Amino acid sequence: MNESAFNVVIVGAGPAGLGCALALQEIGVESLVIVESERVGASFQHWPEEMRLITPSFHSNPFFATDLNAVSPRTSPGDLFGAEHLSGKQYAAYLKAVVGHYELPVREGCRVNKVRSDLDGFTLEVYEETIKARFVIWATGEFSFPDLDPFPGAGLCRIAPQVGSWQRIQGDEFVVIGGYESGMDAAYHLAARGSKVKVLSRGEPWKIDDPDPSVSLSPFTKERLARIARALPGSIELLGGREVIEVTHDGGAYRIFTLDGDSFVSSQAPILATGFEPGIKRQVSSFFEWNQSRPVFSEVDSSTLYPNLFYSGPSLLHRDSKFCFIYKFRARFGVIAQEIGKRLELDTSSLSEWKKRGFLIEDIDCCVDCKCEVETSTVEEAVL
Ligand SMILES: Cc1cc2nc3c(=O)[nH]c(=O)nc-3n(C[C@H](O)[C@H](O)[C@H](O)COP(=O)(O)OP(=O)(O)OC[C@H]3O[C@@H](n4cnc5c(N)ncnc54)[C@H](O)[C@@H]3O)c2cc1C
């Protein structure tokens, strides 16, 4: 078995892993590798064709308002593609272009199967190789880990990564389970092609009026729902308070049972959009402390049990706020790089640019105040 050793190993070549790598490159960390089980931007490659980033891209970088989907201060996916809402393939191509331009050391097709902690760091097992690392950044995201077992019979349902394209699946009537972004995305694309869709949801996310897009539906999705309601009234039926408890299939039809005693029948496999699990939970849960099934992070985004193991990505939590968008978790790329730089006794002053541009936000109290000072109630009704 081959053995190699690095100062820093980053697991996962999505926006989180690559963004951290760029911040580390900025301060001159040389002994670094990014290991990726598939290929750069794999999660985005698996998105259904019609799916778009809900966060808009706009190249406003020179004015210190970096494109919301950029992984570094000087790149803009919006500028690269001349598009505001990029497809998964476009975003993966942006990530690939970043890897090429900055010559990031990514090893594709290299899946980490096991991690051990040693006296001087960690040992990662990949196929026929062990990699030693002083620091590890876990950045495997959530999209590779859909929650496939939320209720009995969930395995009979279809999930977005299996779909390929909403245009090409058979049927005219569908049931979507889950009313957040993924469920709404499926409902929108199915309705737009002329199908009838029922959305069953435990709560009523479409009614939540919270300024934080991690809590309520994004403006992009609210706009799409309004557009489809005008163009094809009744094509999407939103049914809140319908917690699905079981799905069965009797050969001909699927039956979907809800907690309130109701049931729905569908000739097509229901679309399961009940969410994803953190990679850290599925892969390295024993390396992190957990509080009521939520991961606990130090003030520099490391494990509280293993200080040289960091996490970057959408499962990051601070002050009860989830950093689940790129523009949120990228605010910590510089923090992680700065901390690793300090421990390696490197000069980290070159991160000042990252700080100015919102990629090194140390005061995480920023994340608890998402409130917009102007409320909807103050806007004239005619405009809404
Ligand atoms: C459906 C959906 C839509 C979203 N839309 C948006 C949006 O519009 N805007 C936004 O800002 N955020 C969005 N998000 C949040 C989203 O999670 C992130 O933007 C982004 O994918 C997270 O980046 P990441 O690098 O942490 O994870 P990923 O992009 O998932 O990258 C993780 C990488 O790790 C690799 N990997 C996994 N296990 C291993 C292993 N054992 N060894 C080696 N490599 C491994 C995977 O192959 C993958 O390439 C969305 C999320 C979902 C699920």
Side-chain angles (χ1 to χ4, degrees), residues 187-188 191-192 194-197 224-238:
Y188 170 78
S195 299
K196 294 264 181 222
V197 188
R224 292 189 293 171
L225 289 177
R227 201 161 51 234
I228 210 92
R230 278 197 302 274
L232 298 163
S235 56
I236 301 181
E237 207 180 332
L238 300 174

Side-chain angles (χ1 to χ4, degrees), residues 53-100:
L53 281 170
I54 57 175
T55 39
S57 272
F58 194 96
H59 179 42
S60 36
N61 303 22
F63 286 80
F64 298 98
T66 311
D67 184 321
L68 288 187
N69 300 308
V71 296
S72 70
R74 289 183 181 272
T75 63
S76 162
D79 177 52
L80 192 62
F81 286 100
E84 197 173 58
H85 293 277
L86 272 72
S87 68
K89 296 244 175 319
Q90 285 174 320
Y91 194 73
Y94 156 72
L95 294 177
K96 187 97 188 149
V98 167
V99 168

Side-chain angles (χ1 to χ4, degrees), residues 12 14-16 36-37 43-44 51 53-55 112 141 283 314 324-326:
E36 163 56 50
S37 57
S43 294
F44 296 89
M51 197 162 138
L53 281 170
I54 57 175
T55 39
V112 175
Q283 299 169 306
C324 63
F325 287 101
I326 295 161

Side-chain angles (χ1 to χ4, degrees), residues 205-227:
W206 48 87
K207 286 192 182 159
I208 297 176
D209 179 23
D210 191 293
D212 183 355
S214 305
V215 178
S216 62
L217 294 177
S218 64
F220 179 58
T221 297
K222 285 179 183 161
E223 232 176 55
R224 292 189 293 171
L225 289 177
R227 201 161 51 234

Side-chain angles (χ1 to χ4, degrees), residues 212-214 322-332 370:
D212 183 355
S214 305
K322 208 173 168 212
F323 286 47
C324 63
F325 287 101
I326 295 161
Y327 75 89
K328 293 185 173 186
F329 63 72
R330 76 180 183 188
R332 308 288 291 172
C370 280

Side-chain angles (χ1 to χ4, degrees), residues 297-299 301 316-321 323 332 364 367:
F297 300 102
S298 76
E299 293 287 294
D301 300 356
L316 184 67
L317 270 166
H318 281 296
R319 320 276 192 268
D320 276 338
S321 272
F323 286 47
R332 308 288 291 172
I364 35 189
C367 69

Side-chain angles (χ1 to χ4, degrees), residues 91-109:
Y91 194 73
Y94 156 72
L95 294 177
K96 187 97 188 149
V98 167
V99 168
H101 180 79
Y102 293 101
E103 298 180 2
L104 290 177
V106 180
R107 282 202 203 163
E108 294 183 314

